[in-house]
Amino acid sequence: MKKLLFLLVIVSFVLTACGGGTETGGGDADEQLVVGGDIEGATELTFWNFQELHSEFFEDAVIRWNEEFPERPIKLVAETYPFDQMHNNLLLSLQSGSGAPDLADIEISQFANYLQGEVQLEPLNDVIEPELDQMVTSRFEIYAKDGQYYGMDYHVGATVMFYNEEIMNEAGVDIDAIKTWDDYIEAGKQVVENTDAVMTTVESDEHFSFWPLISQRGSDYFDENGDVILDNDVNVDTLQFIHDLVHEHEIAVIAPGGFHHAEEYYGFMNDGGAASLMMPMWYMGRFLDYMEDLEGKMQIRPLPMWEDGGNRSAGMGGTGTVVTNQSEDPELAKDFLAYAKLTEEGNIKLWEILGFDPPRHDVWDSEAMGEDNRFYRYFHDDIFDILLEVRDEINDINITEQTPDAQQEIHSTVMHSVLREQSKTPEEALTDAAEAVRSRIID
């Protein structure tokens, strides 16, 4: 009954958001891109996403596909919607049996919603499994259920440390001497003492200051059996560490705007507000788009270790592209998606166009990946040497049907109560959140 009520709430929300019109399931798109529309006989495929840069990636793929496979031409209609609108409308369309696109992006924290009950997505095993040996397999397992793969990611999402070397030099800190988190704290004290910047920022409204660190330590929100471990000792200790960066060591501040994608945050960083930032490698594009004054100043390094020999990264974030069961030509949709995201050329394009660390690891040291581009010019040219260093130091994360629920607890209560309001200890906040998630699990 709870699942039914949840769906009815979403249906009600979508009907309200769309003014009662659900004929297309998508409402008005913020952006629409049509590729291949001038090719006679081209099969139309629709693609929904919440990030217009992803449309640009598929635009390039369609052009290449139509040149290589003129006997199977494609007209792609790519539509970009606001995050919540797209996910809610996609879920409604799939549940109602009409209005869904051929292809869609589903963000990782939302993906479990689409795997509940009878899955309305096309299994992709026949195109993924032949390529899996060349892939970071964990990026496919997070979009799988009962042995069936349903999504293809854009990146590995290796979490790294971005250092503003100009600030670090002013503070007298050698970033290559930072090996452990204890080293990082000591370096942060030098930054605060000798510059006008803080060492780093932490999020109070999202999870990118917490989830990577617990994953780096081998923990998660759920264990491999799907049981809630949000309140285990490692997670409590990690949240205490984040709290102490701000309130005990005083080397960090809460990110302006509450998270690392806020407009005011970009301005803060661009003005040299913090000496370093922990985010996945895909965040490079945000630097190029929103922090242009930092070009030539930023260096990427592995994360500090918790102890000697420990992991120096964590896989975070992700968006799985899916083929829905409403596609009129699912074989074409699957073949095109595989061409775009599984081939060597497709993975090189993920780097060249989006600046993402592609899931296909056998291209990381290829000659094509070393060619000059805007990301190398902004940062430095040994980015993939670092990725190869930490390739085997990334733990799997456990995605369950309750992951969106746990994520919401982190976003709405845990980080706020511990970091911003200091109304709860880390143990109290995580215990309350874990109990809230457990109480909503349906046996």
Side-chain angles (χ1 to χ4, degrees):
M1 178 59 76
K2 287 182 179 179
K3 287 183 177 179
L4 177 59
L5 288 174
F6 174 70
L7 177 59
L8 289 174
V9 168
I10 286 182
V11 169
S12 175
F13 172 81
V14 172
L15 288 174
T16 300
C18 296
T22 60
E23 184 176 350
T24 67
D28 295 329
D30 286 350
E31 300 285 343
Q32 186 186 68
L33 176 68
V34 180
V35 192
D38 57 341
I39 300 178
E40 185 177 354
T43 300
E44 180 171 316
L45 296 178
T46 53
F47 168 50
W48 288 2
N49 64 70
F50 54 90
Q51 171 52 264
E52 61 182 317
L53 291 175
H54 294 180
S55 293
E56 294 180 19
F57 169 75
F58 278 102
E59 177 186 17
D60 174 84
V62 169
I63 293 171
R64 289 187 290 111
W65 170 278
N66 286 340
E67 290 176 351
E68 193 165 340
F69 304 103
E71 73 283 7
R72 303 175 75 191
I74 289 172
K75 171 188 174 184
L76 185 75
V77 180
E79 298 178 336
T80 303
Y81 298 90
F83 183 92
D84 288 339
Q85 180 183 343
M86 196 224 76
H87 284 97
N88 290 332
N89 287 2
L90 179 63
L91 189 58
L92 172 63
S93 300
L94 292 173
Q95 296 286 359
S96 65
S98 66
D102 299 278
L103 300 149
D105 278 351
I106 302 176
E107 198 268 342
I108 186 171
S109 68
Q110 304 295 311
F111 209 90
N113 292 329
Y114 300 84
L115 298 182
Q116 296 187 34
E118 185 176 350
V119 180
Q120 306 295 311
L121 308 174
E122 289 287 328
L124 303 172
N125 293 48
D126 55 333
V127 292
I128 289 177
E129 287 177 344
E131 306 293 336
L132 210 49
D133 286 347
Q134 286 73 45
M135 301 288 176
V136 178
T137 57
S138 60
R139 301 312 291 176
F140 294 87
E141 297 297 336
I142 53 181
Y143 304 119
K145 179 182 180 182
D146 299 331
Q148 301 288 334
Y149 298 110
Y150 291 104
M152 297 185 199
D153 214 325
Y154 287 87
H155 54 66
V156 175
T159 303
V160 296
M161 191 67 76
F162 295 91
Y163 288 104
N164 183 322
E165 199 168 35
E166 184 177 72
I167 298 175
M168 300 301 284
N169 287 340
E170 182 183 350
V173 175
D174 176 5
I175 60 175
D176 291 317
I178 301 174
K179 303 296 185 186
T180 68
W181 283 109
D182 286 339
D183 296 336
Y184 184 84
I185 291 171
E186 292 306 311
K189 292 176 180 176
Q190 283 186 242
V191 167
V192 171
E193 182 177 346
N194 297 313
T195 77
D196 294 329
V198 294
M199 182 61 169
T200 193
T201 54
V202 298
E203 294 187 329
S204 62
D205 291 49
E206 286 199 347
H207 55 271
F208 287 108
S209 299
F210 178 63
W211 204 3
L213 290 183
I214 64 173
S215 180
Q216 186 190 13
R217 302 180 75 180
S219 186
D220 207 332
Y221 299 159
F222 303 90
D223 65 15
E224 62 275 12
N225 299 314
D227 293 327
V228 179
I229 56 171
L230 187 57
D231 53 349
N232 69 15
D233 290 343
V234 170
N235 294 356
V236 169
D237 183 68
T238 304
L239 186 53
Q240 183 68 55
F241 170 82
I242 298 169
H243 170 276
D244 290 349
L245 292 179
V246 179
H247 298 292
E248 180 178 329
H249 305 302
E250 298 181 337
I251 63 170
V253 296
I254 295 174
F259 60 113
H260 293 150
H261 288 87
E263 185 175 346
E264 51 267 58
Y265 182 73
Y266 297 141
F268 171 81
M269 283 297 289
N270 194 49
D271 292 338
S276 66
L277 167 65
M278 180 184 73
M279 282 296 284
M281 192 173 276
W282 49 254
Y283 195 81
M284 284 190 296
R286 276 62 169 183
F287 279 99
L288 270 70
D289 291 340
Y290 306 116
M291 294 171 264
E292 60 184 15
D293 291 347
L294 299 184
E295 181 170 357
K297 300 178 182 177
M298 301 305 298
Q299 292 284 329
I300 296 173
R301 291 292 185 274
L303 294 184
M305 298 176 287
W306 288 93
E307 64 282 321
D308 288 341
N311 288 344
R312 295 174 295 166
S313 188
M316 279 293 123
T319 296
T321 308
V322 302
V323 176
T324 77
N325 66 352
Q326 293 178 27
S327 175
E328 293 184 1
D329 196 339
E331 293 308 312
L332 177 62
K334 287 199 295 184
D335 289 346
F336 168 65
L337 180 58
Y339 174 81
K341 284 196 161 181
L342 298 181
T343 62
E344 290 185 27
E345 186 173 9
N347 275 253
I348 291 169
K349 292 294 183 181
L350 286 169
W351 161 245
E352 291 179 345
I353 297 173
L354 299 174
F356 290 168
D357 45 348
R360 188 169 181 126
H361 55 69
D362 63 349
V363 305
W364 292 354
D365 57 357
S366 70
E367 186 176 341
M369 296 292 281
E371 293 180 358
D372 180 53
N373 71 12
R374 61 195 183 113
F375 297 102
Y376 288 139
R377 289 192 292 275
Y378 188 101
F379 295 94
H380 45 94
D381 60 7
D382 59 349
I383 294 170
F384 281 92
D385 293 338
I386 293 171
L387 194 59
L388 285 165
E389 271 188 49
V390 302
R391 168 184 155 186
D392 297 325
E393 300 179 29
I394 298 174
N395 290 318
D396 292 347
I397 56 175
N398 299 311
I399 302 296
T400 78
E401 294 180 357
Q402 288 74 42
T403 296
D405 197 14
Q407 198 80 295
Q408 183 60 32
E409 290 291 333
I410 297 296
H411 293 177
S412 63
T413 63
V414 171
M415 304 305 278
H416 266 268
S417 62
V418 172
L419 297 179
R420 192 176 289 278
E421 301 165 358
Q422 297 192 74
S423 58
K424 293 181 180 178
T425 66
E427 183 174 8
E428 290 170 343
L430 288 173
T431 298
D432 290 350
E435 288 303 317
V437 175
R438 291 186 183 107
S439 71
R440 292 192 284 268
I441 292 177
I442 302 171
D443 294 329

